[in-house]
Amino acid sequence: MEGEKENIGKPDPSKRPRPITPKIFKKCKSATFTLDGTSYTIVANPPDRAKDDSSVGAKNGQLSRAGSLTVLRRTNSKSKLASSSSSRTSSIAESDSYASVDLGTDKLPPIDTPEASHVCSIRLRNILRRIQNGEVPKEDLYKNLEYAASVLESVYVDETSTVKDTTKNSIEPPTPQPKSSKERLTDEDDELSEVEPDAVPTEVRDWLALTFTRSMNNVRRRGQEKPKFRSVAHAIRAGIMVDRIYRRLSSSSTLHIPPAVLQLLKGMDDWSFDVFALNSAADGHSLKYVGYELLQKYDLVTKYKINSSMLDSFLLQLEAGYSKYKNPYHNLVHGADVTQTVHNILSQSKLAHWLTDLEVFATIVAALIHDFEHTGTTNNFHIQTGSEFALLYNDKAVLENHHICASFRIMRSEESNILNHLSREEYREFRALVIEMVLATDMSFHFQQLKNMKNLLGMPENIDKQKALSLVLHCADISHPAKDWSLHHRWTNQLLEEFFKQGDREQELGLPISPLCDREKTLVAESQIGFIDFIVDPSFTVMTEMLEKILTPLQKAARSEEAISEEVFDKSDKSKYVLSTPWADCLAINKNKWKEQAAKDAEERKRKEAEEKSKVPNSNTNNNTTKAPVPADKATPVVNCSTGKGGN
């Protein structure tokens, strides 16, 4: 009885379940198990490595971590391949067809399957074709981009995992070793690995590694080599293309651009870009679309995290300010024209290669605001009339100071603060460059500006970026005589009308009429010939020399960095730097046309003078007496009030 009592509550050894022997965990550093076709490995990290291994993130295959254990996931591709090869073969054609004609994602293969990458590439090509026709709904676009991102993440985990199969049922313990950025992103047998980590922007390099450097299957088949790029240049171009597509897709929903406007914006790289046609197609919003297009083109919206609603508000307020005084010339169309001209010089000369992203940002904004809230009168008119602006800015660069001040007030407002993601140092640099550039558009500083640049060109030292960009903006501001005749002639008429309105006001106020502001005496053709000969042509000549001095050394050096998206630049690869100067021909043609016009105007004036003389009687019919001629030394001299420099 006592023996039976002692056994009460004790389990029968014969009926005890078989214990799980923990031997395999006691002396091992890792353990592997398979669940739903996926292998999971638990790796024990020694205490002294816990800190070192903390840098290993999800990108390197780590799914979770607690204490000193690391869980690694590796798809058991071999078993999957063996069990599903027949079904996969039959479904590939169906998946390809679905990806190329549809936009749904419910029938796309799982993201961790080998064919997912291939199908994803077909789908992206399908989307690209549809975007050109404007046929991609926002919801479908979002789902497909989300699927593509998931595929790339899955590829990244598989490609960067340090776990290697040694047998079918076991796995060698991984040896944690720190890897460089280049080793993590690409295998050593990729030509892309020869590119230094800092040779291209980080986001571009990520696209290259995730999209273009993996084989079609997770496990390479025997005799099948991993695809390689023919050259590093091809890899960079491919990455930039994908990055550009993604930015275009992500930004297309933030601003609706009419098809007619989109078509005209394709000519933004042309020297004689027809901004009048754009303004007509854009229903009077040419400045808005030019500003938005260029900020997107240089990827500044993404790089500086510019909120789309803030950008839209900023551009609309700029247009309102340009339209405030209803000027014939200094209006939003002029602002758009100057901004597009600055872009042309930056891109076609490749001057943008010389600049940082922040400097490009400041240059575009300076061009956009350079005549904001222009009053349609000159600085001298403000000084002579003692206007509020003249009092506020002490008669120094009156309008230019106001353009800057009023624009930065807009950028400080909460709804239009496109600079809110700049650091304090970046904001100071940005503001200083914008101020310098806009102040340099003051025509009273023109000759001194050219003199200073000529002196710099004669010195071996590098040219200061602020001075170089200031000259670029100044030349763009007075560039209409260097454009096609149809554009130049229209700009000339509008500018002279603005001058004549100022002359009318000066006459009403009893002030001397400023040069080129007298409707009755201004010689239009002669004034434009003088403007070309003494202002525009010398300015562009100095700018050309400046660009050649800056960019020739850059062209000779083996440049490995692409600071700005390749879509901005000419894709030709020339060993010798050759600056394109389309303005030279336009200046010569326009000058000849004005000379022809001047000759016609001179003949017309002679004819009118002859008619007037014929109408003057030779005798006094009242008293039949003849007046004695006035001696030549006592005649009143004729003053030509139309002389003076022309400009913007």
Side-chain angles (χ1 to χ4, degrees), residues 120-139:
C120 184
S121 66
I122 296 176
R123 174 55 59 84
L124 288 178
R125 289 290 181 186
N126 178 19
I127 291 175
L128 181 59
R129 289 193 298 269
R130 289 172 178 262
I131 285 176
Q132 293 175 346
N133 299 325
E135 299 176 352
V136 183
K138 182 178 179 181
E139 183 178 355

Side-chain angles (χ1 to χ4, degrees), residues 19 106 111 128 181 185 337 348 367 373 435 441 490 537 581:
D106 54 330
I111 61 174
L128 181 59
S181 173
L185 294 177
D337 180 60
Q348 301 308 306
E373 290 190 351
I435 291 173
T441 61
R490 183 168 178 176
D537 197 7
T581 57

Side-chain angles (χ1 to χ4, degrees), residues 122-406:
I122 296 176
R123 174 55 59 84
L124 288 178
R125 289 290 181 186
N126 178 19
I127 291 175
L128 181 59
R129 289 193 298 269
R130 289 172 178 262
I131 285 176
Q132 293 175 346
N133 299 325
E135 299 176 352
V136 183
K138 182 178 179 181
E139 183 178 355
D140 290 339
L141 180 62
Y142 175 82
K143 290 180 180 179
N144 279 277
L145 288 179
E146 186 178 32
Y147 175 81
S150 299
V151 171
L152 295 179
E153 290 171 358
S154 177
V155 171
Y156 192 96
V157 171
D158 289 332
E159 286 294 304
T160 57
S161 176
T162 59
V163 182
K164 296 183 179 180
D165 246 340
T166 56
T167 64
K168 185 175 181 180
N169 298 320
S170 64
I171 198 165
E172 287 293 330
T175 304
Q177 292 182 356
K179 282 193 172 187
S180 66
S181 173
K182 180 167 66 178
E183 290 172 336
R184 288 200 310 270
L185 294 177
T186 61
D187 291 338
E188 60 185 5
D189 60 341
D190 274 57
E191 290 186 22
L192 182 58
S193 64
E194 299 175 3
V195 182
E196 294 299 323
D198 58 348
V200 294
T202 303
E203 62 270 20
V204 174
R205 188 174 181 84
D206 287 345
W207 275 105
L208 296 178
L210 295 177
T211 310
F212 300 99
T213 59
R214 78 181 291 264
S215 61
M216 287 303 299
N217 297 308
N218 290 335
V219 178
R220 302 187 191 110
R221 300 174 183 175
R222 183 175 299 179
Q224 182 180 8
E225 294 184 355
K226 193 172 186 178
K228 294 183 179 180
F229 290 109
R230 294 178 61 188
S231 66
V232 173
H234 289 175
I236 293 175
R237 288 194 181 102
I240 290 175
M241 179 193 71
V242 175
D243 178 62
R244 182 169 69 238
I245 292 173
Y246 176 79
R247 288 188 285 103
R248 291 281 183 177
L249 294 181
S250 62
S251 64
S252 61
S253 60
T254 60
L255 178 67
H256 173 70
I257 302 179
V261 175
L262 276 175
Q263 186 64 30
L264 290 171
L265 288 175
K266 293 180 180 179
M268 284 280 286
D269 293 343
D270 298 339
W271 172 249
S272 290
F273 176 72
D274 191 349
V275 71
F276 295 109
L278 175 66
N279 194 62
S280 178
D283 195 22
H285 292 289
S286 56
L287 183 68
K288 171 185 174 180
Y289 289 117
V290 166
Y292 190 86
E293 173 70 10
L294 292 182
L295 291 174
Q296 288 286 357
K297 202 175 186 71
Y298 288 95
D299 200 19
L300 299 171
V301 173
T302 302
K303 289 173 181 174
Y304 293 105
K305 302 176 182 178
I306 302 175
N307 180 275
S308 58
S309 61
M310 290 183 179
L311 177 58
D312 188 60
S313 174
F314 170 70
L315 293 173
L316 288 175
Q317 289 194 61
L318 281 188
E319 289 189 331
Y322 271 99
S323 305
K324 186 175 182 179
Y325 296 96
K326 298 179 173 57
N327 303 322
Y329 180 83
H330 290 101
N331 49 40
L332 66 88
V333 185
H334 170 68
D337 180 60
V338 171
T339 305
Q340 184 274 332
T341 303
V342 167
H343 155 69
N344 180 278
I345 297 171
L346 292 184
S347 61
Q348 301 308 306
S349 71
K350 296 185 169 68
L351 184 65
H353 285 297
W354 185 56
L355 306 173
T356 65
D357 293 334
L358 188 65
E359 289 164 345
V360 173
F361 188 19
T363 302
I364 297 300
V365 172
L368 287 170
I369 72 168
H370 84 281
D371 272 332
F372 179 66
E373 290 190 351
H374 197 291
T375 59
T377 54
T378 62
N379 283 336
N380 185 64
F381 179 84
H382 281 280
I383 295 171
Q384 294 298 322
T385 58
S387 70
E388 289 296 324
F389 287 163
L391 291 174
L392 181 61
Y393 301 113
N394 300 316
D395 297 348
K396 302 293 184 181
V398 176
L399 286 170
E400 290 72 25
N401 274 302
H402 177 69
H403 304 327
I404 299 166
C405 177

Side-chain angles (χ1 to χ4, degrees), residues 618 625-636:
N618 294 326
T625 59
T626 303
K627 278 190 175 182
V630 179
D633 58 345
K634 293 184 180 180
T636 304

Side-chain angles (χ1 to χ4, degrees), residues 439-506:
L439 287 179
T441 61
D442 181 1
M443 283 300 295
S444 66
F445 185 61
H446 167 80
F447 291 105
Q448 186 62 45
Q449 186 179 18
L450 292 190
K451 181 180 179 181
N452 293 342
M453 183 55 67
K454 288 179 181 178
N455 292 335
L456 291 176
L457 293 174
M459 298 180 181
E461 291 82 4
N462 294 330
I463 296 176
D464 179 71
K465 285 186 176 181
Q466 285 191 351
K467 290 182 172 57
L469 293 174
S470 295
L471 182 58
V472 168
L473 179 57
H474 175 56
C475 287
D477 193 24
I478 59 174
S479 65
H480 71 81
K483 301 290 184 69
D484 285 349
W485 171 257
S486 60
L487 300 174
H488 166 50
H489 190 260
R490 183 168 178 176
W491 281 124
T492 299
N493 291 336
Q494 294 183 194
L495 176 61
L496 289 174
E497 178 58 29
E498 188 169 300
F499 283 171
F500 295 157
K501 285 187 174 183
Q502 176 177 317
D504 296 341
R505 293 178 63 184
E506 289 171 334

